[in-house]
Amino acid sequence: MLHAVNKEAAGHNWSLSSGLLLGDYPFLDAVRAGHLFYRTWHVMAPVAELVAEGIAEFVPARASRIAALLEARGVDVAMVRVTPPDRHGYHSLGPSAGYSLDALRLAGVRIGEVDPDLPWTFGNTTVHESVFDALVNTADETPQYSSAKPSEISDRIAQHIVDLLPKDLTLQIGIGSIPEAVVNRLGDAGLGEVRFTGMATDEMVELFESGVIPAAGDQPSILSPELMGTRRLMRFADRNPALAVHPSSTAHNAAVLGRTPRLVSINTAIEVDINGQVNSEVLRGRQISGVGGSLDFVDAAGRSAGGLRVIALPSATPDGSHSRIVDAVATVTIPRSMVDAVVTEYGVARLDGRSVAERRQALIAIAHPQHREALASAAEAEL
């Protein structure tokens, strides 16, 4: 459908809004030509340059707010990808349900793109064919997400994180090599049963097969708004009651998720300042990501009995020239009051309950050694 939007946009004054999209963004020629206005609440690599140039626009919003924003602005046309119907005429939204049901509820025109390769997922993903004004067969392959490859640094950070985790926990991970390295270490970590909320990835399939992730009981073992993986994950998810895909009204709802005991959120960052403020979206003045669900999950973990909020990042850029523990961040994605621990390859800085001076000392201690003196000088200058 997005190819058709690209082709037909000229002369219609159309605007397109979306969150995180996988694939090649086939409508960007129309955006560059000024035929289509595009706005997004999650910047991915294909549109980062257009956002930097002001050709496309970024909307800073946490995932739990998207439905309210759609309702406030209105939706003329909703385009969603669905499975073929079952014998009762129901389709499944498959791997992605974050805001699709809300968009369909609000839209004047509803179009379903039927993809036979999507998994049929349990949770809250079914839509009857009568809802749609049009159903079209897709001409595009199902987008896939390949996990980031681990490195020596991500493995060291992951081990520090695993040492913090309580037994029989529910874990939320963000995107990137560090959270995925954590998942890879859980198989022999001796933490009992591990459940997941938030993004689901390929690495979780092996944990389920080994019994670390329990089979479905009264509640799903993996509760997710989005499945981010390859065909391996999609095959695993297909009609599997252990995995449930839900809209953001459930999957990003901090009040609901916060009732889960021992909920641990693990999210990465571009940089963290010496006071504990977290920037996960802007790199050298350029928007390269979004708030996404990170703040919702951090909020939920803060409400959880025995919960923990972890931010993980390498101490410096790969060549060591730029510290990722900095004196101040220009953009605050997660405020310092919502961070329990920051982890780099040099260790763990426990922040919750510590004074500003103690936080600075702890964070400088896990910075890259090459940058600690400069950070200490910056900290002294602020006193």
Side-chain angles (χ1 to χ4, degrees), residues 188-205:
D188 55 4
L191 294 174
E193 291 186 340
V194 180
R195 298 178 184 272
F196 284 89
T197 191
M199 182 182 73
T201 67
D202 281 9
E203 287 76 13
M204 295 176 192
V205 178

PDB file of all heavy atoms in Angstrom, residues 188-205:
ATOM      1  N   ASP A 188      21.604 -19.806  31.250  1.00  0.00           N
ATOM      2  CA  ASP A 188      22.351 -20.478  32.325  1.00  0.00           C
ATOM      3  C   ASP A 188      22.608 -19.540  33.510  1.00  0.00           C
ATOM      4  O   ASP A 188      23.551 -19.718  34.263  1.00  0.00           O
ATOM      5  CB  ASP A 188      23.679 -21.024  31.796  1.00  0.00           C
ATOM      6  CG  ASP A 188      24.535 -19.954  31.133  1.00  0.00           C
ATOM      7  OD1 ASP A 188      24.139 -18.777  31.158  1.00  0.00           O
ATOM      8  OD2 ASP A 188      25.597 -20.312  30.583  1.00  0.00           O
ATOM      9  N   ALA A 189      21.731 -18.544  33.673  1.00  0.00           N
ATOM     10  CA  ALA A 189      21.928 -17.567  34.742  1.00  0.00           C
ATOM     11  C   ALA A 189      21.352 -18.029  36.074  1.00  0.00           C
ATOM     12  O   ALA A 189      21.607 -17.407  37.116  1.00  0.00           O
ATOM     13  CB  ALA A 189      21.309 -16.222  34.352  1.00  0.00           C
ATOM     14  N   GLY A 190      20.539 -19.083  36.072  1.00  0.00           N
ATOM     15  CA  GLY A 190      19.980 -19.593  37.316  1.00  0.00           C
ATOM     16  C   GLY A 190      18.991 -18.655  37.975  1.00  0.00           C
ATOM     17  O   GLY A 190      18.930 -18.576  39.212  1.00  0.00           O
ATOM     18  N   LEU A 191      18.186 -17.958  37.173  1.00  0.00           N
ATOM     19  CA  LEU A 191      17.246 -16.975  37.708  1.00  0.00           C
ATOM     20  C   LEU A 191      15.831 -17.515  37.815  1.00  0.00           C
ATOM     21  O   LEU A 191      14.883 -16.746  38.043  1.00  0.00           O
ATOM     22  CB  LEU A 191      17.256 -15.714  36.829  1.00  0.00           C
ATOM     23  CG  LEU A 191      18.553 -14.920  36.830  1.00  0.00           C
ATOM     24  CD1 LEU A 191      18.493 -13.791  35.816  1.00  0.00           C
ATOM     25  CD2 LEU A 191      18.846 -14.371  38.219  1.00  0.00           C
ATOM     26  N   GLY A 192      15.660 -18.807  37.647  1.00  0.00           N
ATOM     27  CA  GLY A 192      14.324 -19.382  37.695  1.00  0.00           C
ATOM     28  C   GLY A 192      13.557 -19.085  36.422  1.00  0.00           C
ATOM     29  O   GLY A 192      14.136 -18.984  35.333  1.00  0.00           O
ATOM     30  N   GLU A 193      12.244 -18.922  36.545  1.00  0.00           N
ATOM     31  CA  GLU A 193      11.420 -18.619  35.372  1.00  0.00           C
ATOM     32  C   GLU A 193      11.489 -17.132  35.038  1.00  0.00           C
ATOM     33  O   GLU A 193      11.431 -16.281  35.926  1.00  0.00           O
ATOM     34  CB  GLU A 193       9.971 -19.037  35.620  1.00  0.00           C
ATOM     35  CG  GLU A 193       9.777 -20.542  35.693  1.00  0.00           C
ATOM     36  CD  GLU A 193       8.322 -20.934  35.787  1.00  0.00           C
ATOM     37  OE1 GLU A 193       7.493 -20.071  36.173  1.00  0.00           O
ATOM     38  OE2 GLU A 193       8.008 -22.102  35.485  1.00  0.00           O
ATOM     39  N   VAL A 194      11.624 -16.855  33.758  1.00  0.00           N
ATOM     40  CA  VAL A 194      11.709 -15.472  33.291  1.00  0.00           C
ATOM     41  C   VAL A 194      10.566 -15.223  32.319  1.00  0.00           C
ATOM     42  O   VAL A 194      10.391 -15.958  31.346  1.00  0.00           O
ATOM     43  CB  VAL A 194      13.049 -15.191  32.596  1.00  0.00           C
ATOM     44  CG1 VAL A 194      13.104 -13.740  32.116  1.00  0.00           C
ATOM     45  CG2 VAL A 194      14.219 -15.490  33.530  1.00  0.00           C
ATOM     46  N   ARG A 195       9.776 -14.211  32.600  1.00  0.00           N
ATOM     47  CA  ARG A 195       8.746 -13.762  31.672  1.00  0.00           C
ATOM     48  C   ARG A 195       9.188 -12.453  31.039  1.00  0.00           C
ATOM     49  O   ARG A 195      10.083 -11.768  31.551  1.00  0.00           O
ATOM     50  CB  ARG A 195       7.403 -13.577  32.388  1.00  0.00           C
ATOM     51  CG  ARG A 195       6.860 -14.870  32.999  1.00  0.00           C
ATOM     52  CD  ARG A 195       5.557 -14.627  33.747  1.00  0.00           C
ATOM     53  NE  ARG A 195       5.101 -15.838  34.400  1.00  0.00           N
ATOM     54  CZ  ARG A 195       4.329 -16.754  33.830  1.00  0.00           C
ATOM     55  NH1 ARG A 195       3.904 -16.564  32.577  1.00  0.00           N
ATOM     56  NH2 ARG A 195       3.961 -17.837  34.493  1.00  0.00           N
ATOM     57  N   PHE A 196       8.557 -12.097  29.929  1.00  0.00           N
ATOM     58  CA  PHE A 196       8.932 -10.884  29.222  1.00  0.00           C
ATOM     59  C   PHE A 196       7.714 -10.012  28.946  1.00  0.00           C
ATOM     60  O   PHE A 196       6.603 -10.517  28.728  1.00  0.00           O
ATOM     61  CB  PHE A 196       9.602 -11.215  27.883  1.00  0.00           C
ATOM     62  CG  PHE A 196      11.022 -11.691  28.013  1.00  0.00           C
ATOM     63  CD1 PHE A 196      11.296 -13.033  28.188  1.00  0.00           C
ATOM     64  CD2 PHE A 196      12.080 -10.794  27.975  1.00  0.00           C
ATOM     65  CE1 PHE A 196      12.604 -13.484  28.323  1.00  0.00           C
ATOM     66  CE2 PHE A 196      13.383 -11.223  28.104  1.00  0.00           C
ATOM     67  CZ  PHE A 196      13.646 -12.571  28.278  1.00  0.00           C
ATOM     68  N   THR A 197       7.948  -8.719  28.947  1.00  0.00           N
ATOM     69  CA  THR A 197       6.965  -7.773  28.456  1.00  0.00           C
ATOM     70  C   THR A 197       7.688  -6.794  27.544  1.00  0.00           C
ATOM     71  O   THR A 197       8.910  -6.660  27.586  1.00  0.00           O
ATOM     72  CB  THR A 197       6.259  -7.041  29.619  1.00  0.00           C
ATOM     73  OG1 THR A 197       5.134  -6.324  29.128  1.00  0.00           O
ATOM     74  CG2 THR A 197       7.198  -6.082  30.328  1.00  0.00           C
ATOM     75  N   GLY A 198       6.948  -6.123  26.699  1.00  0.00           N
ATOM     76  CA  GLY A 198       7.580  -5.234  25.723  1.00  0.00           C
ATOM     77  C   GLY A 198       7.970  -5.986  24.469  1.00  0.00           C
ATOM     78  O   GLY A 198       7.377  -7.010  24.127  1.00  0.00           O
ATOM     79  N   MET A 199       8.964  -5.476  23.776  1.00  0.00           N
ATOM     80  CA  MET A 199       9.387  -6.051  22.501  1.00  0.00           C
ATOM     81  C   MET A 199       9.799  -7.510  22.652  1.00  0.00           C
ATOM     82  O   MET A 199      10.508  -7.880  23.580  1.00  0.00           O
ATOM     83  CB  MET A 199      10.559  -5.238  21.960  1.00  0.00           C
ATOM     84  CG  MET A 199      11.068  -5.688  20.612  1.00  0.00           C
ATOM     85  SD  MET A 199      12.496  -4.705  20.105  1.00  0.00           S
ATOM     86  CE  MET A 199      13.761  -5.366  21.196  1.00  0.00           C
ATOM     87  N   ALA A 200       9.343  -8.350  21.704  1.00  0.00           N
ATOM     88  CA  ALA A 200       9.763  -9.748  21.659  1.00  0.00           C
ATOM     89  C   ALA A 200      10.768  -9.942  20.536  1.00  0.00           C
ATOM     90  O   ALA A 200      10.637  -9.345  19.464  1.00  0.00           O
ATOM     91  CB  ALA A 200       8.561 -10.661  21.450  1.00  0.00           C
ATOM     92  N   THR A 201      11.794 -10.774  20.765  1.00  0.00           N
ATOM     93  CA  THR A 201      12.875 -10.964  19.802  1.00  0.00           C
ATOM     94  C   THR A 201      13.150 -12.441  19.561  1.00  0.00           C
ATOM     95  O   THR A 201      12.673 -13.315  20.294  1.00  0.00           O
ATOM     96  CB  THR A 201      14.174 -10.303  20.300  1.00  0.00           C
ATOM     97  OG1 THR A 201      14.633 -11.009  21.467  1.00  0.00           O
ATOM     98  CG2 THR A 201      13.961  -8.835  20.651  1.00  0.00           C
ATOM     99  N   ASP A 202      13.958 -12.717  18.551  1.00  0.00           N
ATOM    100  CA  ASP A 202      14.320 -14.091  18.206  1.00  0.00           C
ATOM    101  C   ASP A 202      14.948 -14.836  19.384  1.00  0.00           C
ATOM    102  O   ASP A 202      14.721 -16.041  19.563  1.00  0.00           O
ATOM    103  CB  ASP A 202      15.327 -14.099  17.047  1.00  0.00           C
ATOM    104  CG  ASP A 202      14.673 -13.871  15.697  1.00  0.00           C
ATOM    105  OD1 ASP A 202      13.476 -13.538  15.660  1.00  0.00           O
ATOM    106  OD2 ASP A 202      15.354 -14.034  14.674  1.00  0.00           O
ATOM    107  N   GLU A 203      15.762 -14.137  20.174  1.00  0.00           N
ATOM    108  CA  GLU A 203      16.499 -14.791  21.251  1.00  0.00           C
ATOM    109  C   GLU A 203      15.574 -15.432  22.292  1.00  0.00           C
ATOM    110  O   GLU A 203      15.966 -16.365  22.996  1.00  0.00           O
ATOM    111  CB  GLU A 203      17.422 -13.785  21.949  1.00  0.00           C
ATOM    112  CG  GLU A 203      18.640 -13.391  21.154  1.00  0.00           C
ATOM    113  CD  GLU A 203      18.342 -12.408  20.034  1.00  0.00           C
ATOM    114  OE1 GLU A 203      17.227 -11.835  20.037  1.00  0.00           O
ATOM    115  OE2 GLU A 203      19.193 -12.222  19.165  1.00  0.00           O
ATOM    116  N   MET A 204      14.348 -14.951  22.376  1.00  0.00           N
ATOM    117  CA  MET A 204      13.419 -15.491  23.364  1.00  0.00           C
ATOM    118  C   MET A 204      12.925 -16.889  22.984  1.00  0.00           C
ATOM    119  O   MET A 204      12.481 -17.644  23.860  1.00  0.00           O
ATOM    120  CB  MET A 204      12.246 -14.536  23.537  1.00  0.00           C
ATOM    121  CG  MET A 204      12.639 -13.189  24.117  1.00  0.00           C
ATOM    122  SD  MET A 204      11.257 -12.034  24.208  1.00  0.00           S
ATOM    123  CE  MET A 204      12.141 -10.504  24.581  1.00  0.00           C
ATOM    124  N   VAL A 205      12.984 -17.219  21.705  1.00  0.00           N
ATOM    125  CA  VAL A 205      12.508 -18.527  21.262  1.00  0.00           C
ATOM    126  C   VAL A 205      13.326 -19.637  21.920  1.00  0.00           C
ATOM    127  O   VAL A 205      12.780 -20.621  22.430  1.00  0.00           O
ATOM    128  CB  VAL A 205      12.571 -18.643  19.730  1.00  0.00           C
ATOM    129  CG1 VAL A 205      12.114 -20.026  19.277  1.00  0.00           C
ATOM    130  CG2 VAL A 205      11.735 -17.554  19.066  1.00  0.00           C
TER     131      VAL A 205
END
